Amino acid sequence: MTHALDYHERRAHPRVAANFRARAFYGTNNGLWADCHIVDVSQGGARLKIAQIYPLPGRFMLLQLDGGIVYEARLRWRRGDLSGVAFDGRHDVATSTLESLAQIRQTWDALQSAK
Protein backbone atom coordinates (compact mmCIF):
# COMPACT_ATOMS: atom_id res chain seq x y z
CA MET A 1 0.00 0.00 0.00
CA THR A 2 1.41 3.40 -1.00
CA HIS A 3 1.06 6.21 1.51
CA ALA A 4 0.56 9.87 0.58
CA LEU A 5 3.97 10.70 2.04
CA ASP A 6 5.65 8.16 -0.24
CA TYR A 7 3.87 9.70 -3.24
CA HIS A 8 5.18 13.20 -2.48
CA GLU A 9 8.71 11.90 -1.98
CA ARG A 10 8.67 10.52 -5.54
CA ARG A 11 8.05 13.93 -7.09
CA ALA A 12 10.89 15.33 -9.20
CA HIS A 13 10.21 18.79 -7.76
CA PRO A 14 8.69 19.36 -4.31
CA ARG A 15 5.49 21.38 -4.18
CA VAL A 16 5.20 24.49 -2.04
CA ALA A 17 1.93 25.75 -0.56
CA ALA A 18 0.58 28.77 -2.43
CA ASN A 19 -2.54 30.87 -2.74
CA PHE A 20 -2.26 32.53 -6.14
CA ARG A 21 -5.28 33.81 -8.05
CA ALA A 22 -5.25 32.43 -11.58
CA ARG A 23 -7.33 32.04 -14.71
CA ALA A 24 -7.43 28.97 -16.96
CA PHE A 25 -7.83 29.75 -20.68
CA TYR A 26 -8.94 27.14 -23.20
CA GLY A 27 -10.97 26.71 -26.36
CA THR A 28 -10.54 28.39 -29.72
CA ASN A 29 -8.07 31.27 -29.42
CA ASN A 30 -8.22 30.82 -25.63
CA GLY A 31 -11.69 32.37 -25.77
CA LEU A 32 -13.08 30.40 -22.82
CA TRP A 33 -11.84 30.92 -19.29
CA ALA A 34 -12.43 30.02 -15.65
CA ASP A 35 -11.08 31.70 -12.54
CA CYS A 36 -9.24 29.44 -10.12
CA HIS A 37 -6.57 29.35 -7.41
CA ILE A 38 -3.13 27.77 -7.47
CA VAL A 39 -3.11 25.85 -4.18
CA ASP A 40 0.44 24.58 -4.41
CA VAL A 41 3.15 24.85 -7.02
CA SER A 42 6.47 23.32 -8.02
CA GLN A 43 8.88 23.83 -10.89
CA GLY A 44 7.08 21.11 -12.83
CA GLY A 45 3.41 21.63 -12.02
CA ALA A 46 0.69 22.71 -9.63
CA ARG A 47 -2.52 21.78 -7.89
CA LEU A 48 -5.48 24.00 -8.79
CA LYS A 49 -8.77 24.67 -7.08
CA ILE A 50 -11.25 25.17 -9.91
CA ALA A 51 -14.99 24.50 -9.78
CA GLN A 52 -15.74 21.14 -11.32
CA ILE A 53 -18.51 22.70 -13.44
CA TYR A 54 -15.78 24.07 -15.73
CA PRO A 55 -14.58 21.52 -18.26
CA LEU A 56 -10.80 21.49 -18.54
CA PRO A 57 -9.28 20.07 -21.71
CA GLY A 58 -6.11 17.99 -21.68
CA ARG A 59 -4.05 21.10 -22.44
CA PHE A 60 -4.76 24.72 -21.57
CA MET A 61 -3.07 27.99 -20.61
CA LEU A 62 -2.93 29.09 -16.98
CA LEU A 63 -2.39 32.77 -16.14
CA GLN A 64 -1.10 33.42 -12.63
CA LEU A 65 -2.70 36.81 -11.95
CA ASP A 66 -0.19 37.65 -9.23
CA GLY A 67 2.92 38.15 -11.33
CA GLY A 68 1.68 37.73 -14.90
CA ILE A 69 3.14 34.28 -15.54
CA VAL A 70 1.47 32.10 -18.17
CA TYR A 71 1.96 28.35 -17.91
CA GLU A 72 1.34 25.88 -20.70
CA ALA A 73 -0.56 23.37 -18.55
CA ARG A 74 -1.36 19.71 -19.10
CA LEU A 75 -4.15 18.17 -17.00
CA ARG A 76 -2.88 15.14 -15.07
CA TRP A 77 -5.82 14.41 -12.76
CA ARG A 78 -9.09 15.87 -11.52
CA ARG A 79 -11.04 15.11 -8.34
CA GLY A 80 -13.99 17.36 -7.53
CA ASP A 81 -12.79 20.96 -7.37
CA LEU A 82 -9.08 19.99 -7.33
CA SER A 83 -6.93 19.38 -10.40
CA GLY A 84 -3.29 18.49 -10.86
CA VAL A 85 -1.40 19.96 -13.81
CA ALA A 86 2.07 19.58 -15.27
CA PHE A 87 3.82 22.56 -16.83
CA ASP A 88 5.15 22.24 -20.37
CA GLY A 89 6.21 25.89 -20.71
CA ARG A 90 6.30 29.23 -18.92
CA HIS A 91 6.01 32.78 -20.29
CA ASP A 92 5.95 36.32 -18.94
CA VAL A 93 2.66 37.65 -20.35
CA ALA A 94 3.87 41.26 -20.38
CA THR A 95 6.96 40.59 -22.52
CA SER A 96 5.98 37.54 -24.58
CA THR A 97 5.47 38.14 -28.30
CA LEU A 98 3.79 34.77 -28.92
CA GLU A 99 0.66 35.25 -31.02
CA SER A 100 -0.98 32.36 -29.16
CA LEU A 101 -0.96 34.52 -26.01
CA ALA A 102 -2.70 37.54 -27.60
CA GLN A 103 -6.09 36.94 -25.93
CA ILE A 104 -4.45 36.28 -22.57
CA ARG A 105 -2.32 39.41 -22.91
CA GLN A 106 -5.46 41.50 -23.57
CA THR A 107 -7.07 40.09 -20.43
CA TRP A 108 -3.91 40.75 -18.43
CA ASP A 109 -3.75 44.34 -19.67
CA ALA A 110 -7.43 44.94 -18.81
CA LEU A 111 -6.98 43.50 -15.33
CA GLN A 112 -3.92 45.68 -14.74
CA SER A 113 -5.79 48.80 -15.89
CA ALA A 114 -8.62 48.04 -13.46
CA LYS A 115 -6.31 48.09 -10.43
Side-chain angles (χ1 to χ4, degrees), residues 1-10:
M1 180 174 177
T2 302
H3 297 286
L5 182 59
D6 296 333
Y7 178 76
H8 290 289
E9 289 176 358
R10 292 188 317 214

Side-chain angles (χ1 to χ4, degrees), residues 60-99:
F60 60 96
M61 303 302 270
L62 180 67
L63 171 61
Q64 181 180 313
L65 297 175
D66 306 317
I69 301 167
V70 177
Y71 298 99
E72 296 173 32
R74 184 170 19 102
L75 185 63
R76 302 290 295 177
W77 57 266
R78 192 152 195 198
R79 291 182 200 97
D81 287 349
L82 295 176
S83 298
V85 298
F87 297 147
D88 293 330
R90 175 186 165 133
H91 311 278
D92 182 327
V93 72
T95 60
S96 176
T97 58
L98 291 174
E99 186 60 34

